[in-house]
Amino acid sequence: MLFKKHIPAEEVGTAVGINQSLMALFTIFGPMLGTLVYTQLGIQSSIIALFLIFTLAAGIQLFLPSSGREQRAEKTSPLKDIKEGFRYVLGHANLKLIAVMFLISGLAMGVTQPLDVFVTMNRLGLPKESVQWFAAAEGVGMLAGGLLAAMLTAQITRYRRGVITIIMIIWAAITVIEVLSVWPMLTGSARVLSGIATACFQVSFSAMMIQEIREEYIGRTNGIIIPLMMGGMLLGSASSGFIVTQIDLMGAYFIAAALTLGCVVFTSRLKFG
């Protein structure tokens, strides 16, 4: 909502891209700093550092520009806002497709997320601590992708449906490559490409949400769609162990890739004016 209030519509994509690049810096350096603090100072110091960081982040929000709230004549409640959000999503074809896509992609991410450490150890033969370096590689990709998306905002906006569809195909391919790869360089390169695709997707999606959704419904729409993805991730994480036990590690990743590829059915039906 702050983007919609304070940034011109034609510059939203660039602003989101820059914001995405800044977030990627934390993805790059976060795992490395966290591992350093944990190994050198212990778990208690790590928790204290985390508390201080969150406190600092909360304090910075006090410097955000104020935005006045529109007075509503009728009384409202969280339950009523949720109902209105559902009605708004169900009343727009694009939002319905995006909601289903987020649920399925969240399920796919949930299946693979807990298994990264097993891929690192079993497929690549590396110690579990090496997971941080692949996370950093994805952060580098997100940084590059955010800058790229900021420079190519007009093209991404013009071909938004094609961009989102291609990204889903790339994610599915990367999921297969990760589990088949036995070379750390190939896996690292795949994670960099995944980061670039993630940044481009988030920039495209965020710009779409800001530009095409009425201001008073941005929060409610996000409040419906994002929890669907989180719910999918929880279901996927809960089922990943069962899938590995019943099939194997490769089977879990292939299922996740198939789910991601299935999202193309929904992205190809998106219609942007």
Side-chain angles (χ1 to χ4, degrees), residues 102-152:
F102 266 52
L103 177 62
I104 296 175
S105 61
L107 185 61
M109 286 188 288
V111 170
T112 59
Q113 201 170 55
L115 304 178
D116 281 349
V117 64
F118 297 104
V119 170
T120 301
M121 293 189 299
N122 298 344
R123 297 294 300 169
L124 301 178
L126 298 173
K128 61 181 182 299
E129 290 80 11
S130 300
V131 172
Q132 63 175 312
W133 301 113
F134 294 110
E138 188 160 5
V140 171
M142 290 176 67
L143 177 61
L147 295 174
L148 181 65
M151 292 186 292
L152 301 177

Side-chain angles (χ1 to χ4, degrees), residues 105-122 128 131 138 175 178-179 191 230-245 248-249 252-253 256:
S105 61
L107 185 61
M109 286 188 288
V111 170
T112 59
Q113 201 170 55
L115 304 178
D116 281 349
V117 64
F118 297 104
V119 170
T120 301
M121 293 189 299
N122 298 344
K128 61 181 182 299
V131 172
E138 188 160 5
T175 303
E178 281 189 30
V179 75
R191 295 297 290 269
M230 295 295 105
M233 291 181 67
L234 286 174
L235 289 174
S237 298
S239 61
S240 62
F242 175 79
I243 295 173
V244 171
T245 303
D248 56 16
L249 186 64
Y253 271 76

Side-chain angles (χ1 to χ4, degrees), residues 1 213-224:
M1 188 173 292
I213 297 177
R214 288 167 54 186
E215 182 179 317
E216 63 270 25
Y217 280 96
I218 290 178
R220 300 176 201 178
T221 303
N222 278 325
I224 299 300

Side-chain angles (χ1 to χ4, degrees), residues 95-232:
L95 295 181
K96 284 191 292 186
L97 293 171
I98 289 172
V100 177
M101 180 189 71
F102 266 52
L103 177 62
I104 296 175
S105 61
L107 185 61
M109 286 188 288
V111 170
T112 59
Q113 201 170 55
L115 304 178
D116 281 349
V117 64
F118 297 104
V119 170
T120 301
M121 293 189 299
N122 298 344
R123 297 294 300 169
L124 301 178
L126 298 173
K128 61 181 182 299
E129 290 80 11
S130 300
V131 172
Q132 63 175 312
W133 301 113
F134 294 110
E138 188 160 5
V140 171
M142 290 176 67
L143 177 61
L147 295 174
L148 181 65
M151 292 186 292
L152 301 177
T153 300
Q155 289 79 3
I156 290 177
T157 301
R158 187 178 308 156
Y159 305 107
R160 187 175 293 155
R161 181 176 64 180
V163 168
I164 295 176
T165 301
I166 291 172
I167 287 172
M168 288 296 167
I169 296 173
I170 291 174
W171 274 341
I174 289 173
T175 303
V176 173
I177 290 172
E178 281 189 30
V179 75
L180 292 179
S181 172
V182 292
W183 301 295
M185 286 300 296
L186 177 59
T187 302
S189 300
R191 295 297 290 269
V192 171
L193 180 59
S194 176
I196 294 173
T198 299
C200 291
F201 174 83
Q202 291 181 347
V203 169
S204 179
F205 172 75
S206 299
M208 184 275 292
M209 294 288 283
I210 292 170
Q211 291 171 345
E212 299 194 13
I213 297 177
R214 288 167 54 186
E215 182 179 317
E216 63 270 25
Y217 280 96
I218 290 178
R220 300 176 201 178
T221 303
N222 278 325
I224 299 300
I225 293 177
I226 301 302
L228 283 176
M229 185 180 70
M230 295 295 105

Side-chain angles (χ1 to χ4, degrees), residues 3-93:
F3 278 98
K4 195 174 184 71
K5 277 182 174 292
H6 300 284
I7 297 177
E10 64 274 10
E11 297 178 6
V12 165
T14 303
V16 173
I18 295 172
N19 183 64
Q20 183 63 44
S21 296
L22 291 174
M23 292 175 61
L25 291 175
F26 296 99
T27 306
I28 297 171
F29 297 108
M32 291 186 285
L33 290 174
T35 302
L36 179 64
V37 173
Y38 174 73
T39 55
Q40 298 297 319
L41 302 177
I43 185 65
Q44 186 174 359
S45 297
S46 300
I47 294 174
I48 293 174
L50 191 62
F51 171 78
L52 293 176
I53 291 171
F54 275 114
T55 303
L56 178 62
I60 290 175
Q61 294 186 54
L62 297 175
F63 296 95
L64 291 174
S66 60
S67 54
R69 293 186 176 182
E70 181 182 352
Q71 296 296 326
R72 300 176 64 178
E74 59 182 54
K75 292 184 178 181
T76 185
S77 66
L79 183 59
K80 186 174 182 180
D81 284 340
I82 292 173
K83 290 180 179 178
E84 289 182 0
F86 269 111
R87 280 198 294 267
Y88 190 81
V89 171
L90 294 176
H92 294 73

